[in-house]
């Protein structure tokens, strides 16, 4: 019996799962089967009505290579040892807010003193970021040595710093 049925497709998916294939691989095969059914219905007038759902995949919502508090404290001590208050303020900003470098570079001098800041993140999405007292203190310390050449919070001799300066 060469008839295509939902039961046979489910059996095939179970065989793929039992064979140890990843969920992504199985889902790719499910999409191919759906496309084949669509082809049969459109071009061969098969009139197959088979509903197949992709397998839900657990997403990993954490990073494997997170900076530990010990690592962060070591970076801050190193910046202090080199009398690099700007670097210390940058480290604190990234660590205490979870911002990306590109997001941090959006900060302006008038953001100091605010409890929250709205930043434009990846994909143009806006989000609210809480500014802790520890970060406020790091920014105030940085302001004492900041080169006042731009509206951007983090500046250098030639104005606002860029991503390459931070890297």
């Amino acid at each position: 019996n060469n008839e295509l049925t939902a039961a046979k497709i489910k059996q095939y998916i179970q065989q793929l799962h039992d064979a140890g294939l990843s969920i992504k691989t199985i889902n790719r095969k499910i999409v191919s089967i759906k496309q084949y059914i669509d082809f049969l219905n459109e071009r061969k007038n098969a009139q197959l009505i088979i509903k197949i759902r992709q397998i839900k995949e657990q997403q990993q919502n954490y990073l494997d290579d997170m900076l530990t508090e010990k690592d962060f404290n070591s970076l801050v001590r190193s910046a202090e040892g080199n009398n690099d208050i700007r670097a210390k303020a940058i480290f604190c900003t990234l660590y205490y807010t979870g911002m990306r470098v590109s997001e941090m570079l959006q900060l302006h001098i008038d953001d100091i003193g605010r409890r929250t800041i709205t930043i434009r993140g990846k994909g143009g999405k806006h989000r609210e970021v809480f500014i802790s007292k520890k970060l406020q203190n790091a920014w105030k310390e940085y302001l004492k040595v900041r080169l006042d050449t731009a509206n951007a919070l983090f500046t250098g001799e030639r104005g606002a710093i860029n991503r390459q300066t931070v890297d």
Side-chain angles (χ1 to χ4, degrees):
N1 186 355
N2 288 337
E3 199 170 313
L4 188 61
T5 64
K8 286 184 180 177
I9 294 170
K10 285 181 183 175
Q11 182 182 10
Y12 173 66
I13 291 169
Q14 186 60 51
Q15 289 172 346
L16 295 174
H17 187 67
D18 292 345
L21 274 80
S22 74
I23 291 174
K24 280 187 178 182
T25 301
I26 294 171
N27 281 337
R28 254 194 338 268
K29 292 181 182 294
I30 290 171
V31 168
S32 296
I33 292 169
K34 285 180 177 181
Q35 289 174 337
Y36 181 63
I37 291 170
D38 289 344
F39 166 79
L40 291 174
N41 286 335
E42 288 175 22
R43 300 278 173 90
K44 304 294 182 185
N45 200 22
Q47 298 179 354
L48 293 171
I49 301 171
I50 301 174
K51 300 229 186 269
I52 318 163
R53 293 188 182 187
Q54 291 186 27
I55 301 168
K56 288 190 177 176
E57 187 174 7
Q58 284 284 332
Q59 298 245 334
Q60 180 179 337
N61 291 324
Y62 61 90
L63 300 174
D64 293 333
D65 56 351
M66 288 284 293
L67 189 68
T68 65
E69 188 173 358
K70 183 180 175 186
D71 294 335
F72 168 70
N73 289 330
S74 179
L75 283 170
V76 169
R77 277 193 304 278
S78 176
E80 287 172 339
N82 292 324
N83 202 27
D84 192 344
I85 305 304
R86 182 180 70 184
K88 178 183 173 184
I90 288 171
F91 295 150
C92 289
T93 302
L94 296 172
Y95 185 77
Y96 290 130
T97 65
M99 287 183 187
R100 293 175 170 83
V101 171
S102 59
E103 295 170 340
M104 177 193 69
L105 294 176
Q106 297 171 31
L107 295 173
H108 292 98
I109 194 78
D110 57 333
D111 289 329
I112 293 179
R114 294 184 181 174
R115 301 289 291 144
T116 61
I117 298 170
T118 301
I119 55 165
R120 186 174 35 85
K122 216 171 165 184
K125 294 180 182 171
H126 288 79
R127 64 185 172 99
E128 202 76 13
V129 177
F130 174 74
I131 307 301
S132 69
K133 283 277 188 216
K134 286 181 180 181
L135 181 53
Q136 288 286 350
N137 291 336
W139 284 354
K140 286 175 184 169
E141 182 183 1
Y142 164 65
L143 279 181
K144 294 174 187 171
V145 298
R146 178 181 176 269
L147 298 173
D148 190 19
T149 58
N151 190 30
L153 176 58
F154 294 104
T155 60
E157 291 177 9
R158 291 184 224 105
I161 65 170
N162 59 30
R163 187 173 179 83
Q164 286 71 33
T165 307
V166 177
D167 287 343

